[in-house]
Amino acid sequence: WALCAEGFMLDMPILTTVGALIGCSGAALTKIMCDAMNRDILSVILGGYGTKSSGKGEAMTFEGEVTQTSIDETCSLLMESESVIIVPGYGLAVAKGQYPLKEMVDVLRSAGKKVRFGIHPVAGRMPGQLNVLLAEAGVPYDIVEELEEINDDFDETDVALVIGANDTINSAAEDDPNSEISGMPVLRVWRAKQVIVMKRSLAAGYAGVENPVFLKDNTDMLLGDAKDTCEKLAAGVKALSGK
């Protein structure tokens, strides 16, 4: 909008038009992200983050132990399952692991597994980043579904494979009214029979909120670089499938 105002001051219609286009695009993107995170746009503009439904007390403290798994165990689990939902996050984009992931998905699908991707509206650094990432690797559009389309299917899913996502799968958004992300729509991966979370470390996500999903009994952590791990998983499932 500053560029637009500068165009008015300098009597330069082109500068005014370009500034208006940039300003409108930014406003539209802000509105999309606010809707996806269940946040009031006015509150965000004024510097607030919470929603009207958020509590005023301290956030819940979650107890439990993190359990880790291995490449071999994960490959066996994937090959024994019938349905898999993969939830990619910014970590996948940073590691550029979409190509070995696509290779692994191809092997699983050729083995008769039902494999789909669940995409959160604000996964990555902007809406649509993960959709573009998967399309770039050649992932079929018909197995890439949005949060509203796939969220109810986790109850009937054998394995939820989370790759580099954190806040977008945080159950505290639903379970803790005092959490900073309370009210934000999240992918309910914890409802799957087994959850495998691939992360570089156990650090908190962008919002800095503890994720109780990591502590649940049906969750195992597979730590390491996303690209390297996806390459090993692709090679592992290929070996088990005999291809």
Side-chain angles (χ1 to χ4, degrees):
W1 297 115
L3 189 63
C4 185
E6 185 178 351
F8 273 114
M9 294 175 62
L10 300 177
D11 193 22
M12 297 179 65
I14 294 181
L15 196 63
T16 302
T17 302
V18 172
L21 289 173
I22 295 174
C24 289
S25 299
L29 179 61
T30 301
K31 182 64 168 62
I32 291 172
M33 296 189 71
C34 285
D35 290 343
M37 298 180 69
N38 194 28
R39 296 294 183 256
D40 180 68
I41 189 170
L42 184 61
S43 175
V44 172
I45 291 175
L46 296 178
Y49 185 72
T51 62
K52 294 179 180 179
S53 61
S54 295
K56 302 298 182 181
E58 293 186 3
M60 294 172 60
T61 300
F62 300 95
E63 297 182 355
E65 294 184 2
V66 171
T67 57
Q68 296 190 35
T69 187
S70 65
I71 295 292
D72 292 339
E73 290 176 345
T74 302
C75 289
S76 297
L77 180 65
L78 291 172
M79 291 303 297
E80 292 170 0
S81 66
E82 293 297 327
S83 58
V84 178
I85 294 180
I86 301 173
V87 179
Y90 185 61
L92 178 68
V94 171
K96 299 180 180 179
Q98 65 268 32
Y99 293 103
L101 176 60
K102 166 64 164 52
E103 184 180 349
M104 183 193 74
V105 169
D106 287 343
V107 174
L108 292 175
R109 295 186 72 197
S110 65
K113 315 300 180 184
K114 182 180 180 181
V115 183
R116 292 177 294 166
F117 287 84
I119 307 297
H120 193 280
V122 294
R125 281 294 178 261
M126 65 180 65
Q129 181 182 10
L130 272 301
N131 299 75
V132 173
L133 199 74
L134 296 176
E136 181 183 272
V139 174
Y141 292 106
D142 60 341
I143 66 170
V144 180
E145 301 183 20
E146 301 298 327
L147 180 147
E148 296 83 2
E149 301 172 318
I150 205 169
N151 227 9
D152 292 334
D153 295 346
F154 282 106
D155 294 289
E156 302 174 354
T157 300
D158 293 326
V159 179
L161 181 63
V162 181
I163 308 177
N166 196 328
D167 296 327
T168 55
I169 63 157
N170 195 328
S171 60
E174 295 187 353
D175 299 336
D176 184 5
N178 294 315
S179 172
E180 291 186 15
I181 61 172
S182 175
M184 184 181 90
V186 291
L187 287 154
R188 302 186 183 105
V189 298
W190 61 90
R191 293 187 175 180
K193 294 179 182 177
Q194 184 65 42
V195 184
I196 303 295
V197 180
M198 293 168 50
K199 280 175 56 67
R200 186 181 293 274
S201 70
L202 295 174
Y206 186 76
V209 178
E210 181 184 0
N211 194 335
V213 174
F214 300 165
L215 307 175
K216 292 185 180 295
D217 294 335
N218 65 332
T219 299
D220 289 325
M221 307 295 296
L222 184 59
L223 303 182
D225 177 75
K227 182 179 181 181
D228 180 60
T229 303
C230 284
E231 289 175 346
K232 292 177 180 177
L233 289 176
V237 295
K238 186 178 295 185
L240 290 175
S241 67
K243 296 184 178 181

